[in-house]
Amino acid sequence: MPNIILLGPPGAGKGTQARRLVEDRGLVQLSTGDMLRAAQTSGTEMGRKVAAVMAAGQLVTDDIVIGLIGEKLAEGGSGFIFDGFPRTLAQADALGDLLARAGQTLDAVIEMQVDDEALVDRISGRFTCGNCGEVYHDRTRPTSTPGVCDVCGSSDLRRRADDNAESLRQRLMEYYKKTAPLIGYYHHAGKLFSVDGLAEIEDVAKSVARVLDGAKGA
Ligand code: AP5
């Protein structure tokens, strides 16, 4: 099973496509954002530390997120979708080392290309199911029955604390300063594939599938 990275700014659709790949191909989603949000609600010291950083739209320190991914990879398995990781060059180097140590390779980095205007609309309309994690949007992907998750039937639908205009501005700035250089990094490594993230969700899924079917290990 391939190991892949979904790369793109906040709201590009990484989580949406990752969930499709879990469903369609049995891959394993490793979202550092989800892991950090889970740490916040677990009341650990690390959770308390990262809460304010995330709400402000800044990046959590490399050692924390590399540690989280390292723990998951140490459990074994393959077919990982790295969603929201790596976000800095130091994280990218660390991922290479962790995969090598686990005897694994990185098969593809899929860059989801979008523009900032679409991101504001996507982030401001997003809500997720607190029970199963399904991702929705007020306009482009509403639930079939208002207030009820299509997948699990839960009425625990939530909006994220960092999905506001101020935090999004900061998250975009962090992306362009610290994460966008990874595009060149992975292009140079011959791993980069780009898809049009502005297309309909189904069409983006087809583009991602085409990349995976052409990439080694798919
Ligand atoms: P994280 O949770 O990773 O958030 P993010 O990268 O900002 O990405 P999002 O989850 O906001 O967007 P997405 O691309 O998954 O889009 P989605 O599919 O939901 O990180 C949060 C924070 O945690 C960071 O700011 C940082 O503080 C910290 N953190 C996490 N990882 C870290 C790391 N490695 N290092 C340091 N700090 C880290 O889609 C968005 C909306 O658009 C949804 O409503 C969806 O329905 C809709 N949509 C999706 N695709 C389409 C489409 N094609 N057309 C129309 N609508 C669409």
Side-chain angles (χ1 to χ4, degrees):
M1 296 249 265
N3 296 309
I4 65 167
I5 293 172
L6 294 182
L7 183 64
K14 304 179 295 292
T16 299
Q17 295 301 326
R19 290 182 65 82
R20 289 287 299 258
L21 292 169
V22 170
E23 184 72 20
D24 296 348
R25 295 183 184 238
L27 298 181
V28 178
Q29 180 186 10
L30 294 183
S31 157
T32 40
D34 286 350
M35 291 177 206
L36 291 166
R37 279 184 287 280
Q40 283 182 44
T41 54
S42 71
T44 58
E45 197 196 332
M46 190 263 273
R48 280 193 294 278
K49 264 198 220 162
V50 302
V53 176
M54 290 175 73
Q58 286 159 353
L59 290 190
V60 170
T61 55
D62 288 337
D63 56 333
I64 289 181
V65 288
I66 292 167
L68 289 171
I69 291 291
E71 280 172 24
K72 292 286 177 191
L73 292 185
E75 289 169 11
S78 68
F80 296 111
I81 308 162
F82 298 98
D83 163 10
F85 180 91
R87 264 176 149 97
T88 63
L89 292 166
Q91 291 178 25
D93 283 341
L95 177 61
D97 291 344
L98 287 167
L99 285 170
R101 225 174 291 154
Q104 299 209 36
T105 52
L106 180 65
D107 297 288
V109 178
I110 303 178
E111 180 209 1
M112 308 185 61
Q113 295 181 324
V114 284
D115 62 42
D116 289 0
E117 207 179 311
L119 298 179
V120 176
D121 175 60
R122 287 190 186 181
I123 291 289
S124 54
R126 171 169 55 187
F127 57 99
T128 52
C129 174
N131 183 49
C132 73
E134 191 65 12
V135 185
Y136 296 98
H137 187 276
D138 292 326
R139 191 173 43 77
T140 58
R141 192 165 185 267
T143 53
S144 310
T145 307
V148 180
C149 176
D150 290 354
V151 176
C152 72
S154 168
S155 51
D156 180 13
L157 300 175
R158 305 175 180 180
R159 291 189 194 266
R160 268 170 48 178
D162 59 346
D163 278 353
N164 57 71
E166 179 54 36
S167 173
L168 177 61
R169 254 194 304 278
Q170 182 63 36
R171 283 156 67 194
L172 279 173
M173 188 58 80
E174 291 281 80
Y175 176 79
Y176 289 119
K177 274 201 300 200
K178 297 174 183 168
T179 309
L182 298 184
I183 295 168
Y185 177 101
Y186 285 118
H187 173 72
H188 181 70
K191 306 275 184 196
L192 189 76
F193 300 84
S194 300
V195 301
D196 176 12
L198 286 173
E200 299 283 319
I201 292 174
E202 285 304 317
D203 293 329
V204 180
K206 283 183 195 151
S207 302
V208 170
R210 273 195 295 275
V211 171
L212 291 188
D213 291 338
K216 179 174 141 292

